[in-house]
Amino acid sequence: MTSAEIRQAFLDFFKSKGHEIVPSAPIVIKNDPTLMFTNAGMNQFKDYFLGNKQAPYKRVADTQKCLRVSGKHNDLEEVGVDTYHHTMFEMLGNWSFGDYFKPEAIAWSWELLTEVYKIDKDRLYVTVFEGDSTEGLPKDDEAFNEWKKHITGERILMGNKKDNFWEMGDTGPCGPCTEIHYDGRSDAERKAVDGKTLVNADDPQVIEIWNNVFIQFNRLKDGSLEPLPQKHVDTGMGFERLVRVLQGKPSNYDTDVFTGTINAIENIVNKKYDYSDSKEAVAFRVLSDHIRAISFTIADGQLPSNTGAGYVIRRILRRAVRYYYSYLDYKQPLLFQLLPIIANQFEHVFPELKKQEDFVTKVIKEEEDAFLRTLEKGIARFNAYLFSAKNYPDAEKLLVADREGSLDAVLGKDGIFQINPDSFVEGLKDGLISGEFAFELYDTYGFPIDLTELMARENGLKGIDTPKFIELLQQQKSRSRAATAIDTEDWVIVGDEFSQNEFIGYDSLETKTKIVKYRKVKAKGKEQYQVVLEATPFYAESGGQVGDVGELIIDNQPLKIVDTKKENNLIIHFTDSLPADINEDVIAKVDVTKRKQTAVHHSATHLLHAALRQVLGAHVHQKGSLVNAEHLRFDFSHFAKMTDEEMAKVEALVNEKIRENIPVIIREMPKDEALKSGAMALFGEKYGDIVRVVIIDPNYSVELCGGTHVGATGELGFFKIKLETSVAAGVRRIEAVAGKAAETLIQQQFQQLAAVREALKNPKDVLKAIETLNTENAEQKKQIESFEAKQLQSVKEALLQKVQSINGINFIGEQVEVSNADALKKLCFELKSELTDYVVTLVSNIGGKASVAIIIDDKIAADKNLDAGKIIKQSIAPLIKGGGGGQKTLATAGGQDASNLDKVIEVVKGLVLIQ
């Protein structure tokens, strides 16, 4: 069977068992602060397990895109090294929400594996939860007895809490699970060693393929377990592992899930994949895996960036680049060339990538280009470090001290570093790259420790001070965890926990309601409370629109709501305190002014989106937005900076639609019907079966949207673009204002123009007055430059009278008065034309800061082995607490300390004296 046939057989089987086949949720998670990515098949069903939302179907089945590279589930460093871990993977799953339980789940999993897929029963083992006395949990006898109907007792193994008790997180739904393992070894190997001894023992050929979780309990913050009112089934079967088993392959990468990509890589790099554990073979596996994670996360709306989920994707991409750069000897972008393979392969199961193939390709290529440039800089930095270490044993101390701003602590006698001719390896402690420098390469240039280790050994060193590197890495991770740590207590139930938690804010901004539950949270030392209401007019942050603020009035006492967010389908209101009586009736009031201006900006984004597509083309798609009372920010796919003419057209079109005062019509309808009618949906958004459609003229703007909007476009008043810029590869950003915010902007602009007029003495033509001022300024600059040239000529003549002859070298070392560092450099060139066999050192105090220039005759530099760049870096820069560099015959430096300028001259003169 092909992988596509295997996937379809799974879905067809469970459809025959009464399951609704649902699409995969986006791999990028929104509106859930507990997760960045979908890391398990159950993520999109969390609300049903938690009881926050009623499941539309009792039984469902699907194949879900998952990503595990951060947090608790972090497999990244194993990916490619072994043959069964992946970043992105598919999870086949069947689910029951309060319907069937252990008997059906176990019977159907056995039927599918052994009767549909025809897997040899003698190669299968199952594990069952053995119980846990500390938790007061008994052995799962029900699952054990169900399995005895299908498999012999010696193949039913007991598993501990770690392996056979599944938990969503530290708190939340959980329960025992039963796993199914497959023994893929040869008959001879199976005869020699009993397979049951290798289950859950990390044997690459005895692997778990399916896990049936029976969700029975809810874990509280204190660790205790309470039974759930309804029992659920949550199963997950790793698609890539299943295909490996059914296609009889020793590795996931040998199946048709990956072979097409690997073949493409072979053609690109002109090398053959050899199925070994070599670094080259690992590189093939890394690339064929990583390209899937990168491309699908970008297609689902997460662009590479320096923070959060975007950083995770950038990290995966850079790991792939490092592997082909180092081990496949390929020094140009490669990943983007694989996009057609992936897009075509998954077109019929995950079509969103094919629809955005051009966009995703360009984003990946630009990311590769950028990181390859960074790699080159990092390698140059590495080489400079080695060069310094060769001539300068204390170089690593200097590098660390420079970063810490404590150069004085490591300066030698008289505050000067002395050149040391010791050997290369002796210049590095124990022949190792320092942990500090290895961490700098990792943190600044994205070098993994293994790449730095490889480069060190290629240069004849022993390696890296790994313990120090790990120490610094752990310190960074600890700081990061501390900065993002949130301590969340259990919910305190006040009313009916399973009340609707209904949002009524489309129609009303004030309502009488009750508190259902609340909990205390602590982050960054600040305590807050999260409150859930029976019904609320407060809009929870979603779709780029910020959450509402306002107040809860309880017993005539106002309680300020500072934010509203959504978590697991709960609308949560943030407040800094709680009322004395939590059981009283509540008047929930939204800040009307902020809500209205936010709605103005949200409707403006719809007008803007449609205008961009008309002016720039149908390739434009929304890639992110921020909508609040102050302004709107709209990110969209486009690969060129917008021209002034294009922005003017967009702005004019939006304002035309505002003047037409078009009614904003909002309808609810089935999603399929909405999409067939031409409504635009955002890539990466998860929509329900019934969707909200916002229509602003059926021929202009029709979008799926859950946000709040104005009644007619005339309420926007006026629209003005403030800024257009690049936000990421292939993504542009517009910042704009409408309504009251646009009025304020125009007022500010006119006030600024009035101030400019006044400063220019109120000319009739402001632009002409500024042009005249610029002309006069240019003429004055020319006059100043002429004056400075004459002054430099005078200084040059004076310096030529101060030439000293030292060891056959014409030496000038003087402190001079100049207006800038460029003048100092020009003066050196002026002296060069008048001298032979020279070494010139000029220093100047410019505004309290040190400036130094050294120029050396080509012949003297060669004959006397003098290097201006080395002198600046090694002896001068530390002395003036600055930096600099240059060529062998000309170098400059600048620094914060101008008190040692005389000493600078003496250092250079000392080098001339010893020649």
Side-chain angles (χ1 to χ4, degrees), residues 297-308:
T297 48
I298 293 173
D300 275 352
Q302 182 55 65
L303 296 168
S305 68
N306 286 329
T307 57

Side-chain angles (χ1 to χ4, degrees), residues 68-69 75-82 85-87 253 282 285-286 289-290 319 323:
R68 289 186 182 176
V69 289
D75 298 336
L76 183 58
E77 296 310 317
E78 285 80 40
V79 174
V81 178
D82 64 28
H85 278 103
H86 300 288
T87 49
Y253 294 94
V282 170
R285 294 194 288 269
V286 165
D289 171 275
H290 286 14
R319 183 173 188 254
Y323 266 91

Side-chain angles (χ1 to χ4, degrees), residues 313-337:
I313 302 311
R314 178 165 283 170
R315 185 166 157 241
I316 295 172
L317 185 146
R318 290 183 169 188
R319 183 173 188 254
V321 173
R322 293 191 302 254
Y323 266 91
Y324 71 64
Y325 187 95
S326 298
Y327 302 115
L328 299 180
D329 195 29
Y330 198 79
K331 311 298 185 185
Q332 54 190 305
L334 184 155
L335 295 171
F336 82 98
Q337 300 178 59

Side-chain angles (χ1 to χ4, degrees), residues 24 146 164 175 218 265 279 375 405 440 511 562 568 606 616 638 656 685 751 812 891:
S24 169
E146 288 300 325
N164 282 87
N218 182 44
I265 298 168
K279 289 291 187 181
L375 265 182
E440 178 189 329
T511 191
V562 297
N568 297 322
H606 286 229
L616 301 179
H638 188 56
E656 177 187 323
E685 286 289 340
Q751 289 170 358
I812 297 177

Side-chain angles (χ1 to χ4, degrees), residues 904-915:
V904 168
I905 295 170
E906 291 303 314
V907 168
V908 182
K909 187 174 182 179
L911 293 173
V912 173
L913 283 169
I914 64 175
Q915 296 302 317

Side-chain angles (χ1 to χ4, degrees), residues 372-639:
L372 285 167
R373 290 192 296 270
T374 301
L375 265 182
E376 290 172 359
K377 290 178 183 177
I379 291 169
R381 180 78 178 89
F382 180 87
N383 291 336
Y385 172 84
L386 292 188
F387 181 82
S388 298
K390 178 178 179 181
N391 296 286
Y392 199 28
D394 289 325
E396 61 186 78
K397 287 196 291 184
L398 173 61
L399 289 167
V400 175
D402 183 41
R403 289 197 299 273
E404 296 175 348
S406 56
L407 279 169
D408 289 340
V410 295
L411 289 175
K413 186 179 179 182
D414 298 323
I416 303 170
F417 274 101
Q418 300 295 323
I419 294 175
N420 190 311
D422 286 348
S423 69
F424 179 51
V425 174
E426 288 175 351
L428 291 158
K429 184 180 178 182
D430 299 325
L432 296 173
I433 296 290
S434 74
E436 291 87 350
F437 183 66
F439 184 75
E440 178 189 329
L441 290 178
Y442 169 85
D443 197 39
T444 305
Y445 299 99
F447 278 46
I449 191 71
D450 57 350
L451 178 58
T452 308
E453 179 95 25
L454 174 69
M455 292 169 63
R457 294 188 184 280
E458 287 176 346
N459 283 276
L461 295 173
K462 296 178 183 177
I464 298 167
D465 182 358
T466 305
K468 183 63 177 178
F469 171 84
I470 293 173
E471 176 190 336
L472 294 171
L473 184 62
Q474 290 302 324
Q475 288 175 5
Q476 184 192 60
K477 289 181 177 179
S478 297
R479 288 192 298 270
S480 177
R481 281 194 294 266
T484 57
I486 299 175
D487 182 23
T488 304
E489 295 189 0
D490 290 327
W491 287 109
V492 178
I493 309 301
V494 179
D496 177 8
E497 183 182 4
F498 299 101
S499 64
Q500 283 186 298
N501 184 223
E502 182 185 5
F503 174 64
I504 60 171
Y506 292 133
D507 304 312
S508 175
L509 297 184
E510 180 177 334
T511 191
K512 186 176 180 180
T513 184
K514 285 274 193 180
I515 292 176
V516 174
K517 55 185 176 180
Y518 68 90
R519 66 184 178 187
K520 183 188 291 186
V521 293
K522 187 175 182 180
K524 297 182 180 179
K526 181 182 179 181
E527 284 189 353
Q528 277 190 315
Y529 293 90
Q530 297 177 349
V531 176
V532 176
L533 303 175
E534 281 185 356
T536 178
F538 285 78
Y539 181 85
E541 179 182 320
S542 181
Q545 180 173 330
V546 298
D548 279 334
V549 297
E551 61 183 11
L552 304 181
I553 300 174
I554 306 172
D555 197 20
N556 293 321
Q557 296 297 313
L559 195 68
K560 188 175 182 181
I561 299 300
V562 297
D563 200 1
T564 309
K565 294 183 183 294
K566 187 176 287 188
E567 180 179 328
N568 297 322
N569 209 52
L570 283 179
I571 298 173
I572 298 174
H573 309 76
F574 288 73
T575 180
D576 293 332
S577 60
L578 287 176
D581 189 350
I582 207 76
N583 295 293
E584 286 286 328
D585 286 342
V586 175
I587 303 297
K589 297 176 65 175
V590 172
D591 185 318
V592 176
T593 302
K594 286 195 172 181
R595 162 69 88 83
K596 184 174 182 179
Q597 191 56 28
T598 300
V600 162
H601 283 137
H602 203 148
S603 296
T605 63
H606 286 229
L607 294 178
L608 172 61
H609 192 185
L612 287 167
R613 288 174 63 84
Q614 281 198 21
V615 173
L616 301 179
H619 66 279
V620 168
H621 288 282
Q622 180 177 335
K623 291 299 173 185
S625 68
L626 171 68
V627 177
N628 60 27
E630 289 74 37
H631 71 288
L632 69 88
R633 190 178 71 204
F634 189 79
D635 299 342
F636 58 98
S637 52
H638 188 56
F639 285 88

Side-chain angles (χ1 to χ4, degrees), residues 116 120 193 213 238 323 370 427 465 468 576 629 645 657 673 729 864:
V116 176
D120 184 351
V193 178
V213 179
Y323 266 91
D465 182 358
K468 183 63 177 178
D576 293 332
E645 181 183 9
K657 296 301 178 183
E673 180 183 330
K864 305 293 186 179

